[in-house]
Amino acid sequence: MVHVRHPRTAAWAAAAVLILVPAAAGCSDEGGGGSTTPTPSATAPPTASAPAASAPADPAAAKAEIMKNWTTFFDPKATTDAKVKVLENGDQLRPLLAAFSGDKNAAQSSAKVTDVQFTSATEATVTYDLLVGGTPALPGSKGSAVYQDQTWKVSVKTLCALVQLSGNAAAPGC
């Protein structure tokens, strides 16, 4: 029996286009601090004097902003400046974003947020479908949003996860 794997191939191609093309464009880590690899971390239990909030003060508004900003980040028609504003540490990753903004394959990729679950007042788990030509290529993908500079942003962790998915673990900033 022959198995057709075109949707998965398209997903890998989309991830590779979104990540490998900019990484190959010669972006550098200008901060000089080297790259860091996201690793699972244990969190310290909250102290008795300062219980941690499990959600932002206005979860509905935060969820709407997350959905809007994720759509912008993955929108092939959005400008690099617009994407920088909605990516954690976006200014540092501007060369990466600029490199794939003009790629014809990236122009077919987008994302649709399907769920947002807050893990704290400043972090959320985001479930999204990575779309290629409007068709889900990586449905049910997980990423994260962070609250930085009074804006809910796509986390660098999410970008790095796509880098790892593409097989390029040495991309600048990851």
Side-chain angles (χ1 to χ4, degrees):
M1 175 179 227
V2 176
H3 296 283
V4 177
R5 296 179 187 239
H6 294 290
R8 183 61 65 189
T9 301
W12 287 105
V17 164
L18 290 172
I19 304 308
L20 290 177
V21 170
C27 301
S28 67
D29 180 12
E30 294 180 29
S35 62
T36 58
T37 302
T39 56
S41 62
T43 56
T47 62
S49 61
S54 61
D58 186 348
K63 181 178 180 179
E65 183 179 354
I66 289 169
M67 293 176 80
K68 177 181 169 272
N69 291 350
W70 273 63
T71 300
T72 298
F73 181 75
F74 286 99
D75 182 351
K77 295 177 184 163
T79 65
T80 298
D81 285 342
K83 292 179 183 199
V84 163
K85 290 178 184 176
V86 298
L87 176 64
E88 178 185 21
N89 303 328
D91 281 328
Q92 295 171 359
L93 296 167
R94 179 181 293 276
L96 184 71
L97 296 174
F100 72 78
S101 67
D103 185 86
K104 67 178 183 170
N105 293 317
Q108 298 177 34
S109 301
S110 61
K112 178 183 177 189
V113 175
T114 58
D115 190 35
V116 175
Q117 295 293 318
F118 294 100
T119 56
S120 75
T122 59
E123 295 183 358
T125 299
V126 179
T127 304
Y128 66 102
D129 295 338
L130 184 62
L131 309 172
V132 176
T135 303
L138 286 176
S141 298
K142 298 282 187 185
S144 59
V146 296
Y147 193 67
Q148 181 184 58
D149 301 327
Q150 300 184 2
T151 302
W152 282 98
K153 300 181 178 187
V154 175
S155 72
V156 171
K157 252 188 337 189
T158 299
L159 186 59
C160 290
L162 289 171
V163 168
Q164 290 177 347
L165 178 66
S166 72
N168 185 359
C174 291

